Amino acid sequence: MTWTNRRYSVLMTTALAGVLLGLAGYVIHGTLHTTRATDQQSDALVVDMLFTEARIAVAMQEVNLRHYQVEPSVAVKQRFEQVAADTGRVLAEVAGKGDPGARADAERLLAAQGRYRELAERLIAMVADSDPAHVQLDRLEVTPAFYSLQNDVDEVSRAYHEYAQDQVSALRRTQVRLLIGTSVGFTAGLILLAMIMKMMVGYQRRLVDQADESRHRSLHDPLTGLPNRDYFHQETGRAPAGTPVAMIVVDLDGFKAVNDTLGHQAGDLLLIEAGRRLHAGTGDRGVVARLGGDEFAVLLPRPGALPEIVALAEHLVAELRRDFVLAGRPAAISGSLGIAVGAPGDELFRHADAAMYRAKGSGGGVAVYEPGDDTGEPDRMALFADLRALLDAGDPADQLRLHYQPQVRLSDGAVVAAEALVRWQHPGRGLQMPMSFLPMAERGGLEIPLTHHLIGVAVRQAARWRADGRVCRVSVNVSPGALSDDAFAGRVLAALGAAGLPAELLRLELTETSIMRDPDRAVRALREVGAHGVSVSVDDFGTGFSSLAQLRHVPADELKIDRTFVRDLRDGTPDAVMVRSSIDLGHNLGLEVVAEGVEDVETLTRLRAMSCDYAQGYVLSRPVPAEDLPEACERAREVAQAALAAGAPYQRQP
C-alpha cells in the first residue's frame, strides 16, 4: 500500500470512526426517546381500555337496575352489585396508575359512581319493600345521577381514546425519524467502510461474505425469516432418491378477515407468529417454509409412520387455533393442512396441495392425500367457470337450490322459522355441498352476486308458503363481501318487493367477522334494511374476534350460538358456561338467542332450562328441500314438544 493510499486509509478510518460515534449517539438518544414514547403509548392504551371498560360497566349497572324494577329477584340484585363493584374497581385502578389528569377524571367519576350506587341501592331497597315512593326517587334522583355519570364517563372515555390514538401516531413518527436517521448514518458508514475495504487485504473475503449473505436473503422470506419457496424446493431435491418423504401444505383459514379488519400490519404480525408456531411445533424433524401469502409448507425428510405425521399435523392445527394477540387485540384463525407421502418432487407437492383443499372444503383441519383428491387446479377453475356462467345466466335450470332447516321456539315447541342452506345440483358433478364451492366463490369475487341470487330464491319461496297459508320466516346467510356493497340494502328491499313478501319474514344471518370487516358500512346497510322490517341475526356467535363494544352498535335482533359450544353441553363443562353466558348477554342486550347444531334431546331440554329462545339441529330435522319442509316442520314440532314436556318449565328472563 503506497503512502498516499495509507494516508487516505487513515483519513477514511477517522471519518468512519466519527460517523460511527455520531451514529451511536444518535441511536442511543433515539432509543431512549422511543422507549419513553412506547411507555407513554402503553400507559395511554391501558387507561383507554380501562375507561372503555368502565363505560360499558356503567351502562350494565343501569340495565340490571331496570331489570330489578321489573323482576326484583336476588339474582338480578347480585348482578347489579357485581357490575357496580366492577365499575368501582376499574375506576379505582385508573386512579391508582394513571397520569394526574387521568387520576383526577377517575376520582371524579368514582365519586359520581359512589353517589349513583348509593341512590340505586336505596331504590332497590324501596322496590324490595314495595314502597311506592321509589318512583319519585327514581325520577328525581337516580335517573339524573345515572345520565350525569354516563355522559361524564362517555366524554372521558372518548377523550382518552383520542389521546391514546395520538400517542400511537406520535410513537410511529418517532420510529420513522429514528429509522431515517439511522439509515442515513449507516449508509454513510457503509460507504466509508467500503472505501477502506477496497484497500485492505481482506477485500476478497468480504466479497465472499457478502455473496453468502445475499444468497441467504434470496432463499429466505424477509417477513418471517423462514426459508422461502426456492429453498424449500432445493431441500426437497436433496432428499435421497427412492426414499419417501412427507410434505404438509398449510393454508391459514381466516387470515384474510384479520387483514381486512385489523389492517396489513396486523396481518404481517399474524404471519410472523404463525410461522414461529409452525417452526416451533415441527422442531428439528423437518423444514418449515413460507411459500407466499398465507401459505406455508413442512418437509419431513424422515417422516416415520403415517399416524406420527398426522399427529404432528394435528398439533400444528392446535397451535394455529390458539388466539393470536395483535397490537393488544385478540384474533382467531385456524388452518387447513394437507399431507402427502411419497417420492420427492412436484407431484408430491400437488398431492399435498390437493389434500389441503379437501381439508379446507371440510371446514379446516387435517386431510391425508387420496387419489380422489387430485382433481387438480384446472378442475377447480372449470368448476369456478361453471358457477360464474350460471350466475351470469340467472340460473335458468335452478341448479342452485336451497334446503331449509326448521327452527323451533323452546317455550312451546312451535316451528317459527327456517334457515336456508344452499346446494348446487351440478349437471355433470352431481350434488355439491356448500364448502365445495362457497370458498371458491368468495376468492373469485362471486360472493356478492351469489348472495343476492340466493336471497331472491329464498324470499320467493317464503312468499309461496305464505300464499299457501303457511307463514314462516326465512333466514338467509349473507357473505362477508356483500355487506361492503353500496347497493346491498337496495337490492335486498327490491327482492322483497318483487316477491311480495313482508320484510319481517326475512332475517339476514351474518358472522361477527363479516360485520367487523367494515363496521361503519355494515351498520349503515343493516340499519337501512332494518328500518323496513328486515331482522338481523349474528351467526356463529362466540367464534369471532369482534369486541362487545362494537357489537352494541350492530342493529341485531338475534344471536346464534355456534354449534361448537352446543356440542358438549353438559353440566360443569366450559361449553355450558359459554352457552349460559351468551344467553344472558343476548337477553341483556334485548336480543333473541338461537342455539344451532342441537343433535340430541338432552341438549334440547338443557337449552330450555337455560332460557334459550330457539333451537335448530339434526335432532329436530336435517335441512330438506322446500317441498319437504311442511312435513319436516311437523316432525320437528312433535320432537320438540315431546322433549320439552318431560323437562323443566320454560322461564324466560324479562
Side-chain angles (χ1 to χ4, degrees):
M1 180 180 293
T2 65
W3 168 252
T4 301
N5 287 339
R6 188 178 296 112
R7 182 179 178 185
Y8 186 67
S9 175
V10 170
L11 290 174
M12 290 298 99
T13 303
T14 303
L16 177 61
V19 169
L20 291 177
L21 288 174
L23 179 61
Y26 180 79
V27 170
I28 292 172
H29 174 76
T31 301
L32 293 175
H33 190 62
T34 302
T35 301
R36 286 196 299 270
T38 302
D39 292 339
Q40 291 173 352
Q41 176 202 9
S42 177
D43 292 342
L45 290 174
V46 170
V47 172
D48 174 30
M49 178 191 69
L50 291 173
F51 273 129
T52 300
E53 186 177 347
R55 182 183 183 186
I56 295 173
V58 165
M60 290 306 296
Q61 284 183 122
E62 184 69 1
V63 170
N64 283 284
L65 180 59
R66 298 308 165 196
H67 190 174
Y68 185 82
Q69 291 179 267
V70 177
E71 182 192 356
S73 67
V74 174
V76 177
K77 180 181 178 183
Q78 289 176 345
R79 285 200 295 270
F80 170 82
E81 292 173 346
Q82 180 62 47
V83 175
D86 290 344
T87 305
R89 174 186 56 76
V90 172
L91 292 174
E93 186 174 350
V94 178
K97 69 164 52 175
D99 60 25
R103 285 198 297 272
D105 288 332
E107 288 168 358
R108 185 182 71 256
L109 292 173
L110 198 57
Q113 160 65 14
R115 290 193 297 272
Y116 168 74
R117 181 174 181 180
E118 180 182 353
L119 290 170
E121 288 174 345
R122 284 176 53 197
L123 180 62
I124 288 173
M126 294 174 74
V127 171
D129 294 336
S130 301
D131 187 350
H134 80 273
V135 175
Q136 186 174 9
L137 175 65
D138 185 11
R139 180 170 58 85
L140 297 179
E141 296 188 56
V142 177
T143 298
F146 166 72
Y147 282 118
S148 175
L149 174 61
Q150 184 185 46
N151 291 336
D152 199 0
V153 75
D154 285 349
E155 291 177 2
V156 170
S157 178
R158 281 193 295 270
Y160 279 96
H161 181 73
E162 293 172 359
Y163 174 73
Q165 297 306 310
D166 291 342
Q167 291 300 313
V168 172
S169 301
L171 175 60
R172 187 177 295 113
R173 289 193 298 270
T174 300
Q175 291 172 332
V176 169
R177 287 196 297 269
L178 179 61
L179 177 62
I180 292 174
T182 304
S183 300
V184 171
F186 270 114
T187 301
L190 287 175
I191 292 173
L192 291 171
L193 181 62
M195 296 173 67
I196 294 172
M197 293 299 291
K198 288 181 180 179
M199 293 174 284
M200 300 297 290
V201 177
Y203 176 74
Q204 186 63 40
R205 185 183 186 115
R206 179 175 178 273
L207 288 180
V208 172
D209 292 341
Q210 287 180 337
D212 290 342
E213 183 180 354
S214 175
R215 182 174 180 276
H216 180 273
R217 286 197 303 268
S218 69
L219 294 175
H220 287 77
D221 175 51
L223 178 64
T224 63
L226 294 174
N228 60 16
R229 183 183 292 269
D230 291 340
Y231 186 99
F232 187 77
H233 285 309
Q234 288 182 16
E235 286 296 306
T236 305
R238 291 192 184 101
T243 302
V245 299
M247 189 175 294
I248 305 174
V249 172
V250 183
D251 187 80
L252 304 184
D253 299 330
F255 169 76
K256 185 175 183 296
V258 173
N259 220 29
D260 293 343
T261 305
L262 301 182
H264 294 292
Q265 184 177 9
D268 289 346
L269 292 175
L270 189 147
L271 290 173
I272 293 170
E273 175 61 14
R276 189 198 66 78
R277 293 185 187 184
L278 291 172
H279 179 73
T282 303
D284 57 1
R285 295 183 57 184
V287 177
V288 179
R290 182 188 177 204
L291 304 183
D294 61 344
E295 190 176 21
F296 297 81
V298 181
L299 176 68
L300 303 176
R302 296 176 296 279
L306 183 59
E308 297 177 10
I309 305 171
V310 173
L312 172 62
E314 290 176 343
H315 171 68
L316 297 179
V317 170
E319 287 296 300
L320 293 175
R321 285 177 177 165
R322 287 193 295 111
D323 277 357
F324 290 73
V325 179
L326 309 175
R329 299 181 62 183
I333 67 167
S334 184
S336 297
L337 279 67
I339 301 172
V341 181
D346 292 341
E347 184 177 3
L348 182 65
F349 181 84
R350 287 195 298 271
H351 289 174
D353 194 52
M356 182 273 292
Y357 272 102
R358 179 159 64 86
K360 183 177 287 289
S362 301
V366 178
V368 180
Y369 170 74
E370 298 174 358
D373 295 336
D374 200 14
T375 56
E377 184 64 23
D379 187 66
R380 285 193 293 272
M381 293 177 64
L383 187 64
F384 176 78
D386 290 345
L387 181 59
R388 181 170 55 191
L390 188 66
L391 292 172
D392 289 342
D395 191 16
D398 293 329
Q399 294 181 26
L400 294 172
R401 301 174 182 178
L402 290 177
H403 286 200
Y404 300 88
Q405 187 173 38
Q407 187 180 97
V408 300
R409 185 167 53 212
L410 291 180
S411 60
D412 57 5
V415 177
V416 295
E419 180 180 359
L421 302 164
V422 66
R423 307 287 188 265
W424 183 6
Q425 188 62 51
H426 193 282
R429 303 170 184 260
L431 187 66
Q432 301 292 304
M433 299 303 285
M435 288 308 298
S436 66
F437 62 90
L438 288 184
M440 176 183 64
E442 181 177 344
R443 290 194 301 271
L446 297 181
E447 57 177 330
I448 295 177
L450 179 60
T451 294
H452 288 295
H453 176 80
L454 298 179
I455 289 175
V457 174
V459 298
R460 288 193 294 272
Q461 180 60 60
R464 286 193 289 270
W465 288 330
R466 181 169 177 263
D468 294 339
R470 292 180 174 272
V471 179
C472 181
R473 185 180 66 232
V474 63
S475 298
V476 184
N477 291 280
V478 176
S479 66
L483 275 181
S484 301
D485 181 15
D486 291 332
F488 173 76
R491 295 183 67 177
V492 171
L493 297 175
L496 286 168
L501 182 70
E504 59 268 18
L505 293 183
L506 173 63
R507 175 160 287 178
L508 303 177
E509 294 197 5
L510 312 106
T511 62
E512 297 175 81
T513 302
S514 66
I515 296 171
M516 290 297 295
R517 176 180 289 189
D518 190 345
D520 293 337
R521 184 175 293 182
V523 169
R524 284 197 303 270
L526 296 178
R527 284 180 176 163
E528 185 174 349
V529 296
H532 290 79
V534 177
S535 56
V536 174
S537 175
V538 178
D539 197 8
D540 298 341
F541 181 72
T543 62
F545 48 86
S546 63
S547 67
L548 291 178
Q550 183 65 42
L551 183 61
R552 289 193 311 158
H553 302 297
V554 176
D557 304 274
E558 175 184 274
L559 291 183
K560 292 194 76 174
I561 302 174
D562 188 70
R563 66 183 68 245
T564 56
F565 301 111
V566 177
R567 199 162 23 195
D568 188 23
L569 195 61
R570 300 190 308 272
D571 289 338
T573 62
D575 287 347
V577 175
M578 287 291 297
V579 170
R580 187 180 297 277
S581 300
S582 298
I583 293 171
D584 289 342
L585 174 64
H587 288 168
N588 286 334
L589 293 175
L591 307 179
E592 296 176 329
V593 181
V594 181
E596 59 181 349
V598 182
E599 298 185 358
D600 55 72
V601 173
E602 181 183 1
T603 301
L604 199 66
T605 55
R606 288 183 185 276
L607 288 167
R608 185 174 192 253
M610 291 179 177
S611 300
C612 186
D613 300 300
Y614 304 100
Q616 68 182 83
Y618 284 177
V619 69
L620 300 166
S621 173
R622 290 178 176 271
V624 297
E627 59 270 19
D628 297 336
L629 185 63
E631 182 180 351
C633 288
E634 183 61 25
R635 288 198 306 270
R637 184 188 64 81
E638 292 174 355
V639 171
Q641 291 183 346
L644 301 180
Y650 180 81
Q651 294 181 349
R652 169 70 151 89
Q653 298 295 325

